[in-house]
Amino acid sequence: MSESSRDTVAGAGWSAAGPGAYRQLLPERVQKLSWLDPRTLWAARNGVLASWFGDPTGETRARWVARRAAAGAPADKVIRRDEADRFSFMVVGDTGEGGESQYAVVPGFLKAGRGTSFAVIASDVIYPVGSTDDYGAKFFRPYQDYPAPIYAVPGNHDWYEDLHGFMRVFCGDPPPPAPGPAPRPLGRAWWRRLLWHRPRPADEQRLARARKLRPAPAQQAGQPGPYWAIDAGPVRIVGIDTGLLGTVDAEQGAWLREVSRGPRPKILITGSPLYVDGEHHPCAIEGGGTVDDVVRDPAHHYVAAIGGDIHNYQRYPVDVDGRTVQYVVSGGGGAFMHATHTIPRVSVAGVTESGFRCYPLRGDSLAFYSRLYGHRLRLRRLFTLTEAEAMAVVAERLGIPPVRTPGAPVRVTRRMRLVATLLGTGRRPESRTRFRLPVRKIYTRLFSPGSATYRPPFFKSFLRLDVGPEAIRVRCFAATGGLAQETDPPVEDEVTIPLVRPAP
């Protein structure tokens, strides 16, 4: 087994001799995505409009689901796969930027995914707005050599064109639903409809060419809709659609409660993680209750909840009435890397630093961003921290030992502390006051980069779940863009989840 970032600097990908073979997979023309481009921000405006003028995704989703039902999709939205008691599947989240950081994941994903029965994309299949025309370079091409079906739950970016591309690719090409009734003039819904970004007409020939990249019958998924369940072996995998604003409509909520009944062990796949960045986000259901209420109900026997949306890996083993539910963030499949160094010292739902895991390590995240912004601001000498310096200043601020011990002691200087502060590095809870400038929130919302300036190590990740009759083995693999990590993808985290309930 290869070294991971928890072992050595080389295992983190910092000292890679050169880029991996993933570049051979890239399209001839790669359109780099920048989230600082006003055109990108304007095209992705529907999330803001939904928060200002009301969220229409529940109504739109209901119309899509009705279309699929009329076409013969099962009423319970359950996909029944003929799997043995032992099988494996992959989970990868927030994939579709279409550039180097996405394609760098592919070689390791294919190697670690050998022998798996299917894969699931958890959130944001296509950036920036889920356009049908983008599926060729951002879905069909990178995963053309994965031989099994790929299912998906949409993220907010897939909803920026009202889910048109997602439904065409994953749900049997249904005709788009008719728009709802005309709103009252000058009301909130009227303004929303006036300003709404609408789906662009698809290039049908382009889509047809893209589909030929994954033509085999064994590669086809055929989902019943944007939310679904898969019965496979001893488990049920439940995928939910959290739309533009990270919520669930009443109709989907009723389905979720119904499909969650019974003692069969279950895994939730969601576009919005329930625990992330040291905080609890239970995900509201329209009409009352939350998704996490469903997960925590002992009668439903959920053993894990895996969410995308945040572009890194995190794991929170939460004790729920004497049993452990693994809450996982798995959004490191291709989009720009969300910082982990901004996560404060963890203390949530009984989970502390000793049980919490993340990738990239906070020190590697800080070193990565210090180099990135040192280059952008032309202040390399001031901003750039070595891996050892970043690891040391993070350990000091959080009051924890370094995860990866440096080769020689590192003295933390004022410059290192200044850089850590400017880049939003988290602190221990007792050191935070209400008068402190909210640098972390400002940083994470405004200064996370697009992939346009990315170079290895990319710090991407994906999951492999090996299911057995008594337990599930979950492994988080790293993809850095380095050849060594392509050849032998390192395991950054591993946990075994028991499926058999202990005797009372």
Side-chain angles (χ1 to χ4, degrees), residues 143-169:
Y143 309 119
Q144 61 185 308
D145 292 327
Y146 182 69
I150 299 177
Y151 304 95
V153 294
N156 57 309
H157 288 270
D158 300 306
W159 269 102
Y160 288 158
E161 289 203 350
D162 291 340
L163 219 60
H164 279 231
F166 183 96
M167 293 297 293
R168 294 201 65 179
V169 170

Side-chain angles (χ1 to χ4, degrees), residues 1 464-468 471-475 491 494-497:
M1 182 182 295
R464 175 175 171 136
L465 289 81
D466 299 303
V467 179
I472 302 173
R473 180 191 188 195
V474 182
R475 285 176 288 173
V491 176
E494 180 174 342
V495 63
T496 298
I497 304 173

Side-chain angles (χ1 to χ4, degrees), residues 2 70 189 418 468:
S2 62
L418 173 64

Side-chain angles (χ1 to χ4, degrees), residues 127-291:
Y127 292 95
V129 295
S131 174
T132 304
D133 287 351
D134 287 339
Y135 269 84
K138 301 178 181 182
F139 174 73
F140 288 104
R141 183 183 180 94
Y143 309 119
Q144 61 185 308
D145 292 327
Y146 182 69
I150 299 177
Y151 304 95
V153 294
N156 57 309
H157 288 270
D158 300 306
W159 269 102
Y160 288 158
E161 289 203 350
D162 291 340
L163 219 60
H164 279 231
F166 183 96
M167 293 297 293
R168 294 201 65 179
V169 170
F170 291 102
C171 302
D173 219 4
R184 178 174 56 85
L186 301 181
R188 295 174 69 207
W190 185 88
W191 284 107
R192 183 184 65 214
R193 180 174 288 193
L194 176 67
L195 299 172
W196 199 254
H197 172 81
R198 292 175 175 81
R200 292 167 289 183
D203 183 333
E204 298 299 334
Q205 293 183 345
R206 183 175 180 176
L207 179 60
R209 290 193 301 269
R211 289 185 189 275
K212 292 179 180 179
L213 296 173
R214 283 181 54 84
Q219 292 179 307
Q220 310 312 308
Q223 296 179 193
Y227 57 92
W228 43 261
I230 299 173
D231 282 350
V235 300
R236 170 169 282 184
I237 303 156
V238 179
I240 62 171
D241 171 15
T242 55
L244 281 170
L245 301 182
T247 59
V248 169
D249 62 278
E251 181 180 318
Q252 184 182 183
W255 170 86
L256 175 63
R257 293 183 175 103
E258 180 63 29
V259 82
S260 298
R261 290 181 178 177
R264 188 174 193 166
K266 298 174 186 72
I267 301 167
L268 182 75
I269 306 289
T270 170
S272 301
L274 303 181
Y275 282 89
V276 60
D277 294 347
E279 299 174 349
H280 184 209
H281 298 270
C283 187
I285 297 175
E286 182 186 18
T290 69
V291 170

Side-chain angles (χ1 to χ4, degrees), residues 312-334:
N312 53 46
Y313 171 81
Q314 302 174 42
R315 181 169 64 84
Y316 301 81
V318 176
D319 180 87
V320 179
D321 299 327
R323 61 190 178 92
T324 300
V325 177
Q326 299 289 344
Y327 290 87
V328 176
V329 179
S330 182

Side-chain angles (χ1 to χ4, degrees), residues 260-484:
S260 298
R261 290 181 178 177
R264 188 174 193 166
K266 298 174 186 72
I267 301 167
L268 182 75
I269 306 289
T270 170
S272 301
L274 303 181
Y275 282 89
V276 60
D277 294 347
E279 299 174 349
H280 184 209
H281 298 270
C283 187
I285 297 175
E286 182 186 18
T290 69
V291 170
D292 202 28
D293 292 339
V294 177
V295 171
R296 288 170 172 266
D297 189 328
H300 296 159
H301 198 186
Y302 277 90
V303 298
I306 303 172
D309 189 51
I310 302 302
H311 308 165
N312 53 46
Y313 171 81
Q314 302 174 42
R315 181 169 64 84
Y316 301 81
V318 176
D319 180 87
V320 179
D321 299 327
R323 61 190 178 92
T324 300
V325 177
Q326 299 289 344
Y327 290 87
V328 176
V329 179
S330 182
F336 70 86
M337 184 260 285
H338 275 132
T340 58
H341 66 266
T342 58
I343 302 173
R345 180 166 172 164
V346 170
S347 179
V348 60
V351 180
T352 61
E353 283 292 323
S354 62
F356 170 70
R357 293 290 183 273
C358 70
Y359 176 79
L361 300 178
R362 291 180 176 102
D364 286 329
S365 171
L366 178 58
F368 176 92
Y369 274 91
S370 74
R371 295 183 183 197
L372 180 67
Y373 282 99
H375 172 75
R376 281 188 171 184
L377 301 174
R378 299 182 181 180
L379 295 171
R380 288 187 177 92
R381 294 187 64 180
L382 171 64
F383 255 77
T384 302
L385 301 179
T386 68
E387 303 79 42
E389 289 173 339
M391 201 70 69
V393 72
V394 166
E396 179 188 80
R397 288 172 71 96
L398 295 180
I400 59 175
V403 177
R404 187 176 63 234
T405 304
V410 175
R411 183 176 67 88
V412 178
T413 64
R414 290 182 180 178
R415 180 188 71 88
M416 292 158 56
R417 294 187 182 106
L418 173 64
V419 171
T421 298
L422 291 175
L423 292 180
T425 305
R427 293 175 175 266
R428 65 190 89 180
E430 60 270 20
S431 68
R432 288 178 280 168
T433 71
R434 68 176 189 169
F435 300 107
R436 190 170 66 89
L437 184 68
V439 174
R440 175 175 166 262
K441 288 187 177 181
I442 295 172
Y443 172 80
T444 54
R445 291 179 183 178
L446 296 182
F447 298 112
S448 289
S451 61
T453 56
Y454 259 28
R455 291 179 294 176
F458 293 118
F459 296 112
K460 301 288 93 188
S461 59
F462 55 89
L463 307 181
R464 175 175 171 136
L465 289 81
D466 299 303
V467 179
E470 296 182 349
I472 302 173
R473 180 191 188 195
V474 182
R475 285 176 288 173
C476 172
F477 289 89
T480 67
L483 184 59

